[in-house]
Amino acid sequence: MNGTPRLRSAYPSTPQKVNENNGGDASASLPRVPLPTLASSQQDPQAPLIPFNLVDGPQQRLYVAFFYLGLTVWRLCDYYGLVSDETDSLWLFMKWVAIDSIFLYGLPGLKIPWLQWSSTAITMLFLGHAIFDAVLMFRIPIPLEAWLIAFTRIFYDRELAVSERRVKPANVLHNSSLILGKQIIHILPEGSATLNPNRTAFCIDNFITSANLPIQLNQTNPILIELLRVDLDTNLNETITIHAKEIRRLKKQAQKQPLDRDLGAPRYLQYPVKQTGLYRLQKVVDESKLEVQRRLSDTLVVQCPSAHMKTVTESKCIGDLSDFYLQVDATPPINVKYSKLFNGQENGHASLSIPPKSPISPLINQRSSGALVTRESVANVDVSWAQSQSTRISLNESLSTSGRWQYLVDEVQDGCGNIVNYANHRQADLGKRHPTNAGPLEQRFSVHERPRVALRGCDSQHPLRVPKGKSIQLPLQLSSTGLDSAEQSPHRFSYLFTPLAEVLPNQEHGKAAVLEEFKLEPHAAGHEVHEPGLYTLQSVESVYCAGDVLEPSSCLLSNPPEPTMSIETQVIPDRCAGNSVGLLVDLDLTGTPPFRVSYTERRSGGPVTPRTVETHLLHTQLELRPAHSGHYRYEFQHISDAIYREPRSLRDERLSLEQDVKPPASARFLDAHPARKTCIGEPVSVGVQLLGDAPWKLEYELVHHGRRQKRKKDGIDNNIYTLSTDQLSSGGEYSLALTAVTDKSGCRVSLEQETKIEVALQRPKAAFGLIEGQRTILALENKKVHLPVRLQGESPWTIQYRNLDYPGEAPTTRVFEKTNDEIEVEKAGTYELMHVDDDTCPGNVDAVANSFAVEWVPRPSVKVSESAAIELQQDRYVKKGICEGDEDAVEIAFTGTPPFDVEYIHHVKPERGSQSTSTKKFSAGINLASVRMMTTEAGSHQYKISKLSDLAYGHDPRKFSPVVIEQRVHSTPMATFSDGGKTYKYCKEEEAGGENVPISLKGSPPFHLEVEIRHHSSSKPELVTIPNIETRQYSLHIPHRLLALGTHAVRIRKVRDANGCQRRMDQGAPHVQVNVAEVPGITAQESRTDYCVGDRISYTLSGSPPFNVFYTFQGQERKASASTTNFRRLAEKPGEFTITAITDQRSVDCKAHTSITKVIHEMPSVRVSKGRTATVDIHEGGEAEILFEFGGTPPFEFT
């Protein structure tokens, strides 16, 4: 093996001695290797630096060991002489790291056998020495003492307990008597029973005489069921027992019901009850004589809800009140729904909620369980809240619209959920009464308009004139409050009458006035009067309502004299021929104009022609000038006037005339219209009638702008001639005059017949005018808007226009009389003029001004300005909470026309006290307003903007959506000393302080507290800030650094809670004092006060050891000594461990009293089934009672 090649880093082979006892050559058993020569040995790389012939290998290793031991001693000397200066420590550390590296990395160079290690081994050794150097030079502590104690405890483990005797901790912690007993449960098939698991509502009345209570049975066959019933009226309870026979009958009924596909589904027994009350499943026993598990569930059987209306008269008048009430009988809380119909159409629905009179009713809130009575036993339970409550609801609404009104009860629901829907009964044609026959379910009445009456066409200044002996109808104008005409029903009137001779000079009634009445049927002609005098209306009433008498209400009736007539005549001679051409008759008339005189004209040999003369004058002249020659006879037949319309005969007065006439030639225009109109560039034709003997010669002239054009026409044989002009090429006024006419007799007769011809200067034109310089207008919504129209031409104009925003509508055609007229529109949009015609000609529409835009002024709206402090949540704005008393406001933006009038409802739900609601108003002159939030009272505040109007629009609830703003006002926190004015004692040397100062806090935790500590000899206080106080009771521990010997005043300066609300305390607020003395101190190393048996209670002592610690345990005062500043005891037994005082070496006579209490709780123990082994059989899904008897401090947690 010596010849085996070795690595340089390998350990060298151990030198072997030659075995001299074998009697042979030692190399006999080994192969021979040639001995190296001297030259080869000097060049061997494995040879040591110091040859073995000088110092052999073991001695070299011994020298290295001594050298390493010397380095270690030197290292330890440096360690013990080390000071605390960091520079020396670092220097020594670096020195020894360098020495170790030189030693370890230089050792392989000696090539000493067994000390030629690999480079990895050298590196690991170097790192180990470097770590050891750092521990020594930097004085890093090594828990050698703890390791030694831990090693000692393996053989001897005893500690001082609170009873001042040494005990073994393992005997305290591991106690086999803490868990005793065992219970074995055999689970039988699951079984349970529940009364009314679906919480169905039940009620009974005269028609529904019983209610079937469902009892759910799950995997059980009961032989006995007990129901507990509590009477709603007397609160007495009774037990209803259902025996096996009755249960079998109920099972047969249940089997007849449709089977569920799931064979394991629960079975329902329907048990009928006929009495109201609170029912509870009290006991269920199955075939195995075991009580089946039952769930606590209560079922109410109450009186079925009902409602009816008290009927009133079926006829009412405008302005009356509905004046009826709704009677509801049900278990509260009650909800009643009713609807209103107007003229057979729905006019709204209403819902009324009636709370219970008893505030203890569990039906007010939602139930999380099936129990209505929380106690297991229902004995002496008050269930009067479930009794049926009779409530009368008055429905008194003002009736402002005439028509047929109908109020219908739709639905009534009680607090249990029983619903009676009358609307479904009506739809099913089951009549208008519920089967309960409680009363009428609807109220019908008709609202009538009030009549109004006035006299039409007659008053004190305009009397009625009636012929003698004739009667006349009083000119009654009958209407109503909402219509122009009155209702078709009989009306009764009364009036005051005074004969004409008794009427006073001031047109008032005299003493002879009498009151008369009359009645008019719907289609009666009227009431006739004939006696002259003064009539004054007093009253009017219809079949249903009394009405009003409007002005004029008085009328004077008189009888004027009959008409008469007388005549005088005068001959009319012809200037050319000297013949008579007619008569002038003067008529003198008496009576009441206008007059109508009838007479006859008869030409010899011709028929009788009747003629009539009408005049408004008392004296008039009648010209009798026939157109043809001959003998004429005239006879006046009748006369009538405005009063005596029936013609009065004049034959008795023999008023007749005769004459022989030969009329001269004459001509006249057939159309008597003074002016004719035509368009420029068109001729005019005029009809002319010629009188005399044919043939005729007609002379005429056309005058325009001072130029006359004379014309003649000869040989006219027809007495009707059409005169036509040339085309009138110039605009303006033309005069066409007949100047002379000559007939067969040759007499030329000058004429004065003239007619005007108006020739339009231009074609008519139409355009929209400007409003404030533009053809756009903003108007109030649904208001009439007048668009200016500018017209050129001759009146009247016919204009056709349309609204471009409504292309489906036909164009509108209107006639205008004025050049500056208006088009009245009621819709928004762009209006366009399409065509225009004037009285004579068609015209044009101005293409530039042919349209006009109508826009509605925007209605006012309100919006809350969103920010980081306010955000929109669903349908309301929620503003960030504010502290009580702080100023806060919300910015509101308006759209519309300022100023704005706003009304909002402020609802306050305070933290304490009752809720309140108030209505407030304000005005905003601009489009932005700031609403000040009410922060004087803590609680939930809701601001509901309910009404908004601006300069243009009033409030319209149909087009305005209320805006709701909510904010929480937090109450201001409060901090007070629990024992104000108390003096607390502290020890100067006690690092933990002394007594804790209890502080009571009010508000929302966590709190931020600032406390001021002022020494009696110093004017500058010390401030202590305590953040994150999570409870409302806080024990203030004053830092030791802030205390000096003497007396300190401790005052609370300010407190802030989690809501950011802050309160600064007054200077005169109660405070406490802290007295600091030179005494030792003791502080618990743990802040907890609860310990278990086996735990260790440790304290830290301050002062000069040794210490004497005084404490009480289990009511006994004890004394312990501590030679160090640590005081620890093992909790051996349960009890209250309280440190009462401490003294140290320097304060033996000054005992530092304290009260550090630690409660030592016994180790939790449990006994199952009294500590024995028990076996219990239960149903599957049921429950078994396992008795666990715990020892210790509750609550317990066990597995």
Side-chain angles (χ1 to χ4, degrees), residues 254-328:
Q255 291 174 355
K256 296 178 181 179
Q257 299 176 357
L259 295 177
D260 197 298
R261 294 181 180 179
D262 187 2
L263 299 178
R267 179 184 301 171
Y268 289 87
L269 303 183
Q270 303 292 335
Y271 182 71
V273 296
K274 297 183 178 181
Q275 291 180 303
T276 61
L278 176 70
Y279 290 85
R280 173 178 287 186
L281 191 62
Q282 182 170 278
K283 185 178 181 182
V284 178
V285 180
D286 63 0
E287 295 175 338
S288 60
K289 304 296 183 180
L290 295 176
E291 188 170 343
V292 178
Q293 175 189 4
R294 54 185 175 82
R295 296 180 182 176
L296 188 61
S297 176
D298 297 332
T299 300
L300 271 178
V301 179
V302 298
Q303 288 288 335
C304 289
S306 64
H308 67 276
M309 291 185 177
K310 178 190 175 185
T311 58
V312 295
T313 57
E314 296 186 355
S315 296
K316 293 183 177 294
C317 301
I318 288 289
D320 290 349
L321 299 177
S322 56
D323 193 21
F324 68 95
Y325 66 83
L326 180 65
Q327 182 76 30
V328 182

Side-chain angles (χ1 to χ4, degrees), residues 758-896:
E758 295 289 341
V759 179
L761 296 176
Q762 60 182 5
R763 295 283 181 176
K765 188 177 181 181
F768 277 118
L770 299 175
I771 297 180
E772 297 181 358
Q774 56 186 359
R775 292 183 179 88
T776 302
I777 187 173
L778 283 175
L780 297 182
E781 186 177 352
N782 297 327
K783 298 294 184 181
K784 295 182 179 180
V785 180
H786 297 85
L787 306 181
V789 180
R790 304 295 179 253
L791 302 171
Q792 297 179 6
E794 296 295 329
S795 173
W797 292 268
T798 302
I799 292 182
Q800 191 177 53
Y801 61 92
R802 63 181 176 178
N803 191 335
L804 297 179
D805 292 354
Y806 296 88
E809 294 184 357
T812 303
T813 302
R814 285 189 57 188
V815 178
F816 298 89
E817 298 290 341
K818 298 182 292 184
T819 56
N820 297 301
D821 218 319
E822 296 176 341
I823 295 178
E824 184 180 275
V825 297
E826 296 181 351
K827 296 180 179 179
T830 302
Y831 289 85
E832 180 187 45
L833 297 178
M834 301 175 63
H835 185 71
V836 59
D837 291 333
D838 67 355
D839 186 45
T840 307
C841 307
N844 302 317
V845 176
D846 190 347
V848 178
N850 66 338
S851 62
F852 204 108
V854 178
E855 299 176 358
W856 295 141
V857 175
R859 286 192 167 271
S861 63
V862 60
K863 181 180 179 181
V864 178
S865 301
E866 295 189 40
S867 64
I870 186 169
E871 60 180 4
L872 180 64
Q873 296 182 3
Q874 295 181 352
D875 60 343
R876 60 194 59 207
Y877 292 90
V878 178
K879 187 168 177 59
K880 185 178 180 181
I882 192 70
C883 298
E884 183 179 3
D886 289 356
E887 293 292 334
D888 195 12
V890 62
E891 296 293 334
I892 297 178
F894 300 98
T895 58

Side-chain angles (χ1 to χ4, degrees), residues 994-1016:
E995 298 180 78
N996 289 332
V997 181
I999 297 177
S1000 299
L1001 299 146
K1002 293 182 180 179
S1004 299
F1007 298 94
H1008 185 93
L1009 194 65
E1010 185 175 303
V1011 179
E1012 173 187 302
I1013 304 173
R1014 186 188 299 270
H1015 194 268
H1016 67 91

Side-chain angles (χ1 to χ4, degrees), residues 127-384:
L127 292 177
H129 281 74
I131 294 173
F132 182 67
D133 292 338
V135 170
L136 290 179
M137 298 304 116
F138 292 107
R139 287 182 166 271
I140 299 175
I142 300 177
L144 297 177
E145 182 180 358
W147 294 345
L148 182 61
I149 294 174
F151 180 75
T152 306
R153 285 184 177 177
I154 298 176
F155 306 99
Y156 180 81
D157 187 12
R158 293 289 188 274
E159 290 186 24
L160 274 175
V162 292
S163 59
E164 290 303 317
R165 66 187 184 92
R166 293 189 174 275
V167 295
K168 191 174 183 180
N171 295 337
V172 177
L173 293 174
H174 306 290
N175 191 348
S176 61
S177 63
L178 296 177
I179 301 177
L180 297 175
K182 180 171 64 174
Q183 180 160 332
I184 301 172
I185 300 175
H186 293 163
I187 300 177
L188 301 177
E190 179 184 4
S192 64
T194 306
L195 177 63
N196 192 15
N198 298 326
R199 302 184 189 176
T200 307
F202 297 98
C203 68
I204 57 176
D205 56 14
N206 295 335
F207 292 88
I208 305 174
T209 58
S210 64
N212 293 327
L213 301 183
I215 302 175
Q216 184 191 62
L217 301 178
N218 187 17
Q219 299 293 334
T220 184
N221 291 317
I223 59 173
L224 177 67
I225 299 176
E226 290 184 359
L227 292 176
L228 183 66
R229 171 184 171 272
V230 180
D231 191 86
L232 302 182
D233 297 324
T234 62
N235 292 330
L236 299 178
N237 57 69
E238 63 171 337
T239 301
I240 302 174
T241 303
I242 308 175
H243 296 283
K245 182 178 179 181
E246 180 69 13
I247 293 174
R248 287 193 295 271
R249 185 182 66 82
L250 296 177
K251 288 181 180 179
K252 291 180 180 179
Q253 293 178 357
Q255 291 174 355
K256 296 178 181 179
Q257 299 176 357
L259 295 177
D260 197 298
R261 294 181 180 179
D262 187 2
L263 299 178
R267 179 184 301 171
Y268 289 87
L269 303 183
Q270 303 292 335
Y271 182 71
V273 296
K274 297 183 178 181
Q275 291 180 303
T276 61
L278 176 70
Y279 290 85
R280 173 178 287 186
L281 191 62
Q282 182 170 278
K283 185 178 181 182
V284 178
V285 180
D286 63 0
E287 295 175 338
S288 60
K289 304 296 183 180
L290 295 176
E291 188 170 343
V292 178
Q293 175 189 4
R294 54 185 175 82
R295 296 180 182 176
L296 188 61
S297 176
D298 297 332
T299 300
L300 271 178
V301 179
V302 298
Q303 288 288 335
C304 289
S306 64
H308 67 276
M309 291 185 177
K310 178 190 175 185
T311 58
V312 295
T313 57
E314 296 186 355
S315 296
K316 293 183 177 294
C317 301
I318 288 289
D320 290 349
L321 299 177
S322 56
D323 193 21
F324 68 95
Y325 66 83
L326 180 65
Q327 182 76 30
V328 182
D329 297 314
T331 299
I334 309 170
N335 185 273
V336 182
K337 295 181 181 179
Y338 68 93
S339 58
K340 294 186 289 186
L341 276 69
F342 177 68
N343 291 335
Q345 301 294 327
E346 288 189 0
N347 194 46
H349 299 269
S351 178
L352 302 175
S353 297
I354 305 172
K357 297 179 180 179
S358 173
I360 64 173
S361 174
L363 301 178
I364 300 177
N365 303 318
Q366 295 183 353
R367 291 185 289 161
S368 59
S369 64
L372 291 170
V373 179
T374 57
R375 291 184 290 178
E376 182 70 23
S377 175
V378 296
N380 300 323
V381 171
D382 183 10
V383 293
S384 58

Side-chain angles (χ1 to χ4, degrees), residues 1079-1081 1102-1108 1142-1150:
V1079 290
S1102 62
S1104 299
F1107 300 92
N1108 292 325
I1142 181 175
T1143 61
D1144 62 355
Q1145 184 180 9
R1146 292 182 300 178
S1147 59
V1148 177
D1149 297 332
C1150 180

Side-chain angles (χ1 to χ4, degrees), residues 595-739:
F595 299 95
R596 183 182 179 90
V597 179
S598 301
Y599 65 96
T600 60
E601 179 185 64
R602 184 175 182 180
R603 185 182 178 186
S604 58
V608 177
T609 303
R611 302 200 181 269
T612 302
V613 178
E614 294 185 359
T615 180
H616 290 268
L617 304 175
L618 296 178
H619 176 79
T620 187
Q621 193 175 62
L622 177 63
E623 185 179 275
L624 302 177
R625 180 178 289 191
H628 303 282
S629 61
H631 181 78
Y632 290 85
R633 179 178 175 83
Y634 303 92
E635 291 186 0
F636 292 91
Q637 302 289 329
H638 304 91
I639 184 174
S640 63
D641 63 2
I643 304 303
Y644 296 88
R645 298 183 181 276
E646 294 183 4
R648 177 176 172 271
S649 177
L650 297 175
R651 293 179 181 179
D652 295 340
E653 299 183 11
R654 297 179 180 180
L655 299 176
S656 61
L657 298 172
E658 293 184 6
Q659 69 170 339
D660 293 319
V661 296
K662 187 176 181 181
S666 179
R668 66 182 182 88
F669 291 112
L670 289 177
D671 188 2
H673 199 279
R676 291 168 173 80
K677 297 180 180 180
T678 186
C679 298
I680 190 170
E682 296 181 359
V684 176
S685 297
V686 183
V688 179
Q689 182 183 15
L690 300 171
L691 301 177
D693 297 329
W696 290 274
K697 177 183 177 183
L698 182 62
E699 299 177 16
Y700 64 94
E701 62 182 8
L702 184 64
V703 182
H704 178 59
H705 290 327
R707 295 182 299 174
R708 295 178 181 269
Q709 298 179 4
K710 295 186 178 182
R711 300 283 191 274
K712 292 182 181 179
K713 186 64 177 178
D714 298 333
I716 301 174
D717 296 326
N718 195 349
N719 64 337
I720 301 298
Y721 175 70
T722 301
L723 180 63
S724 298
T725 67
D726 297 333
Q727 290 185 353
L728 306 179
S729 58
S730 299
E733 183 181 77
Y734 288 80
S735 296
L736 180 61
L738 301 179
T739 58

